[in-house]
Amino acid sequence: MANENKLQNIIGHCKEYGFIFQSSEIYDGLSAVYDYGQNGTELKRNIRDYWWKSMTQMQENNIVGIDAAIFMHPTVWKASGHVDNFSDPMIDNKDSQKRYRVDHLIEAFVETLDKEKGDAMLAQMDQLLAANDYVGLKQLIEDNKMKCTVSGTCNWTDVRQFNLMFSTQLGSVSDEASEIYLRPETAQGIFVNFLNVQKSGRMKIPFGIAQTGKAFRNEIVARGFIFRMREFEQMEMQFFVRPGTQKEWYEYWKETRMKWHMSLGISPEKYRFHDHVKLAFYADMACDIEYDFPMGFKEVEGIHSRTDYDLKQHQQFSGKKLTYFDTDINQHYVPYVIETSIGLDRTVMLLLSEAYYEEDLSTAEKQDSRVVLKFPPMLAPIKLAVLPLTKKDGLPELAKDLINECKPHFRCFYEEKDAIGKRYRRMDALGTPFCITIDHQTKEDGTVTIRYRDSMEQERINLADVKNIILDKIKMF
Ligand code: ATP
């Protein structure tokens, strides 16, 4: 399947099966904003739970979770550097008025070149971005006659910066003092609570604080379905370490986070590290974990060594001390921080890309096909479908008894309509890993048929064993 088609097919499938809808669709939608439907919500929640447990419960290290507010004091964003620096270089086409992020415009052009020329141009772009050389970037665009996709012309404005934060008013008086921002990352909620958590939890360095929650960015070019949204969810962890040890902890978290991705059962070839050439204003080392999406390798997670930049800035702007007394070395210091930051929606997109298969099941006798979502069973929205073969003879009652036994432990689905084959296919399309069919033999010998989504194999097992078999197959750890 061509990759462009695959992305379009996934988008269509997500709508048809209640995973993801365009926001405010009946009003023609809101660009780059999406709503999760009944199945997408479960998938997203399961991913969030898996991340949360991996980071806060199954760690050798001491990591605790918090839930900070989206609104924060406006000075937070002054201190963090976001007011002055959280911007991307943009360029507008004068004929169409369409605005582009400079790196996206160049990257799109690079895709039309052969590999060698493309790599050289990307290297040149990285250098110009690292030097904030806007004149050079414009020159690169003009020299290569990069065109606007709408007007088809090369009539460009100068390159300039555009801040990505959304602002709004707190309270009823709209003066400047009440202007606040929707957080563009969850991390600052962790930094400003560093001492609260450290003191109240009597935490010893090294330790981490994890958080999941919404973040907002006024992305100029929002594209790729839920890859780049204006409202999205992040799962972040800040790990506080003794200054001088950041390199080893950075390596540790690179490796640990990559292992987490592998634990989703995805092949290593689908992932790669990308080291940053242009470091963000707060970082001394940084890399992305990239996944091979239908539109190519793209970032899904960032790992950043943020130094003591954020805590020092908050110390300076708030006038409050944010130091830690390390009893092992009898020293006060501002800790260094390693951050792991993964997009929840991007991980949903990763799992959809990985799980989506269109399979041809035709035989000599008949044409047949199915669409199946091969999610890891622990993350599937519905874990078990219970299907009585017929609507009578006491089979629905047996099915409902099984559901009542299982539903305190995992999500079940009951369906009695349509031929059994059709019901299996619907469950394949939702990614349900196991179906149990209750038939007349069940009444005689207490056995049922279990049908496996990926292999489509079926076998007879004891009704009494179903709950424990499924529990074993969906366990996270
Ligand atoms: P990009 O280069 O793709 O804009 P970034 O480097 O700005 O991403 P970070 O600030 O490191 O991203 O954010 C951490 C993670 O948050 C990213 O790896 C990504 O998974 C997610 N993320 C960032 N921006 C968006 C967005 N607009 N929509 C969805 N997820 C996002």
Side-chain angles (χ1 to χ4, degrees), residues 48-113:
R48 194 193 293 111
D49 280 357
Y50 181 54
W51 181 88
W52 187 259
K53 285 192 180 140
S54 307
M55 296 305 270
T56 66
Q57 193 172 315
M58 299 304 292
Q59 274 298 319
E60 291 157 30
N61 299 296
N62 191 11
I63 301 179
V64 292
I66 64 163
D67 187 9
I70 289 173
F71 292 144
M72 301 183 75
H73 193 285
T75 312
V76 166
W77 305 109
K78 195 79 197 135
S80 69
H82 283 82
V83 171
D84 296 327
N85 294 311
F86 192 59
S87 47
D88 281 328
M90 303 289 168
I91 194 164
D92 292 11
N93 183 273
K94 289 185 194 160
D95 299 319
S96 67
Q97 317 292 332
K98 189 171 159 64
R99 181 167 290 166
Y100 292 84
R101 243 174 82 171
V102 166
D103 54 337
H104 289 168
L105 182 66
I106 298 172
E107 277 165 11
F109 180 76
V110 161
E111 277 168 24
T112 66
L113 303 177

Side-chain angles (χ1 to χ4, degrees), residues 217 219 227-229 232 234 299-300 304 341 343 346:
R217 296 181 188 180
E219 300 279 4
F227 181 83
R228 191 173 299 286
M229 302 154 88
F232 57 99
Q234 290 185 314
E299 168 177 350
V300 60
H304 311 124
S341 174
R346 262 185 214 182

Side-chain angles (χ1 to χ4, degrees), residues 166-182:
F166 285 102
S167 65
T168 186
Q169 306 291 326
L170 189 73
S172 54
V173 190
S174 68
D175 57 18
E176 241 197 61
S178 63
E179 187 184 40
I180 57 167
Y181 298 100
L182 298 185

Side-chain angles (χ1 to χ4, degrees), residues 110-122:
V110 161
E111 277 168 24
T112 66
L113 303 177
D114 65 40
K115 176 143 178 31
E116 201 178 320
K117 280 201 186 122
D119 286 350
M121 188 169 290
L122 286 180

Side-chain angles (χ1 to χ4, degrees), residues 153-283:
T153 68
C154 309
N155 193 7
W156 298 108
T157 61
D158 286 341
V159 173
R160 58 197 149 45
Q161 293 284 10
F162 178 89
N163 197 296
L164 300 182
M165 283 197 294
F166 285 102
S167 65
T168 186
Q169 306 291 326
L170 189 73
S172 54
V173 190
S174 68
D175 57 18
E176 241 197 61
S178 63
E179 187 184 40
I180 57 167
Y181 298 100
L182 298 185
R183 65 181 179 197
E185 62 173 24
T186 62
Q188 297 304 324
I190 294 179
F191 289 123
V192 299
N193 280 300
F194 158 70
L195 261 199
N196 284 336
V197 174
Q198 191 273 321
K199 290 222 156 100
S200 59
R202 301 165 69 233
M203 312 287 280
K204 273 194 79 169
I205 274 182
F207 72 89
I209 304 178
Q211 157 160 251
T212 70
K214 287 275 173 115
F216 304 82
R217 296 181 188 180
N218 198 0
E219 300 279 4
I220 291 309
V221 187
R223 58 179 174 189
F225 193 35
I226 54 168
F227 181 83
R228 191 173 299 286
M229 302 154 88
R230 298 203 162 100
E231 173 180 341
F232 57 99
E233 196 164 336
Q234 290 185 314
M235 306 189 286
E236 297 200 300
M237 193 277 302
Q238 313 291 322
F239 198 68
F240 299 91
V241 305
R242 189 185 289 170
T245 63
Q246 69 270 27
K247 175 103 179 88
E248 70 198 70
W249 282 112
Y250 173 70
E251 295 302 333
Y252 171 89
W253 281 110
K254 263 178 88 167
E255 195 190 319
T256 304
R257 290 304 304 149
M258 190 56 110
K259 274 198 198 140
W260 183 87
H261 285 271
M262 301 289 103
S263 75
L264 301 172
I266 299 173
S267 124
E269 291 90 71
K270 292 290 203 68
Y271 283 103
R272 70 181 187 197
F273 283 113
H274 168 80
D275 291 316
H276 285 200
V277 181
K278 180 179 194 251
L279 290 170
F281 49 89
Y282 49 74

